[in-house]
Amino acid sequence: MRTFDEIFEIAAERKGGADALETMLEPPLSSEELKTISDDRWLSGMVRSVFQAGFNWKVVERMWPAFEEVFERFDPGYCAMLNDDQLAELLSDKRIIRNGTKLRSVQENAVFVIDLAREHGSASAFFADWPPETFNELLETMKKQGSRLGGATAQYFLRSMGRDGYILSRDVTARLMTEGVIEKPPGSKTSMRQVQDAFNQWQQQSGRSLKELSRVLAMSTG
């Protein structure tokens, strides 16, 4: 496995030099900044990522103001109390995307957010305090306790909220495979642990965030 500096050099050569590459790297939000995000915004981010998964992101973006209106700006208490009749009515609401399982996930993820707030004081505290060196375990927790928050959906959700983490895109995965970290796109707990171990090594070498590491790996390939 190459050192981070070696991978950085590969990416820099592809992107016009080290200075040019640095301008493409943006750090994540700090823990203090994450803790200012209200629980309704965490739920909103979850729902947006769920609806974007496998769908045209531009369509979701265009319809998002209506989503905010329909779900009372994603107030967790309101969304958690949605019943079967209300969810059935939403299937005929042309202002939003009418996907039954994804609409159901709004109610389920509202319960998830409320549970996080009850246990940790707020959803923000839960996401902000989770250590980056076990980011893979955060993804696993979201998959188990959330609704439709597995795989790339959770990764893109956390990135959209400013939380530090990696996205295992095609380009990042290609670099990980080239470096011998994994043999195929990760899916098992073992392969995700191998990915995390590699990122932890590169983080120790560079002092950079997981987000920055992820971006460099992606640009060293794509």
Side-chain angles (χ1 to χ4, degrees):
M1 187 174 80
R2 290 179 176 88
T3 66
F4 175 75
D5 285 346
E6 291 172 321
I7 297 173
F8 185 92
E9 289 179 8
I10 295 172
E13 185 175 352
R14 295 177 61 88
K15 299 301 178 180
D19 290 342
L21 178 57
E22 288 288 359
T23 65
M24 302 177 192
L25 304 179
E26 182 180 353
L29 296 181
S30 67
S31 176
E32 291 72 21
E33 290 171 321
L34 287 172
K35 288 180 179 179
T36 66
I37 301 173
S38 59
D39 287 353
D40 62 286
R41 293 303 87 199
W42 287 103
L43 178 57
S44 175
M46 288 179 190
V47 175
R48 186 190 293 239
S49 295
V50 167
F51 275 88
Q52 286 175 335
F55 201 74
N56 188 314
W57 288 33
K58 291 183 179 179
V59 173
V60 177
E61 186 72 22
R62 186 176 70 248
M63 301 179 77
W64 200 248
F67 271 87
E68 291 280 352
E69 180 180 353
V70 166
F71 292 106
E72 299 290 331
R73 288 196 55 79
F74 294 100
D75 173 75
Y78 171 82
C79 293
M81 294 300 292
L82 290 170
N83 58 42
D84 290 343
D85 290 340
Q86 290 172 304
L87 291 171
E89 288 180 9
L90 291 174
L91 289 174
S92 62
D93 194 328
K94 296 181 179 180
R95 295 175 296 169
I96 60 176
I97 297 167
R98 292 164 289 169
N99 180 299
T101 56
K102 291 189 176 185
L103 287 171
R104 167 66 67 180
S105 75
V106 176
Q107 187 273 334
E108 293 169 342
N109 281 324
V111 173
F112 176 41
V113 167
I114 290 172
D115 287 344
L116 291 178
R118 183 178 297 115
E119 183 175 354
H120 301 277
S122 67
S124 294
F126 169 78
F127 289 112
D129 290 340
W130 196 288
E133 59 267 22
T134 57
F135 182 70
N136 61 313
E137 295 177 12
L138 172 58
L139 297 176
E140 181 66 20
T141 298
M142 293 180 63
K143 179 181 179 180
K144 288 182 177 181
Q145 298 184 18
S147 177
R148 304 183 69 87
L149 292 176
T153 300
Q155 296 167 28
Y156 280 103
F157 156 64
L158 293 169
R159 175 68 58 84
S160 73
M161 299 301 294
R163 156 74 213 205
D164 189 23
Y166 42 75
I167 291 178
L168 299 179
S169 65
R170 180 179 60 184
D171 290 335
V172 172
T173 299
R175 173 53 60 189
L176 291 168
M177 293 170 65
T178 297
E179 299 307 316
V181 175
I182 49 177
E183 296 181 352
K184 60 183 180 180
S188 66
K189 288 185 180 180
T190 297
S191 61
M192 289 298 291
R193 179 70 252 177
Q194 292 169 333
V195 168
Q196 185 68 53
D197 288 344
F199 270 94
N200 289 347
Q201 288 185 50
W202 287 321
Q203 191 166 47
Q204 290 171 5
Q205 293 168 3
S206 66
R208 292 180 182 268
S209 66
L210 296 177
K211 178 183 178 180
E212 292 170 296
L213 296 174
S214 178
R215 291 284 290 146
V216 171
L217 264 62
M219 289 186 284
S220 72
T221 302

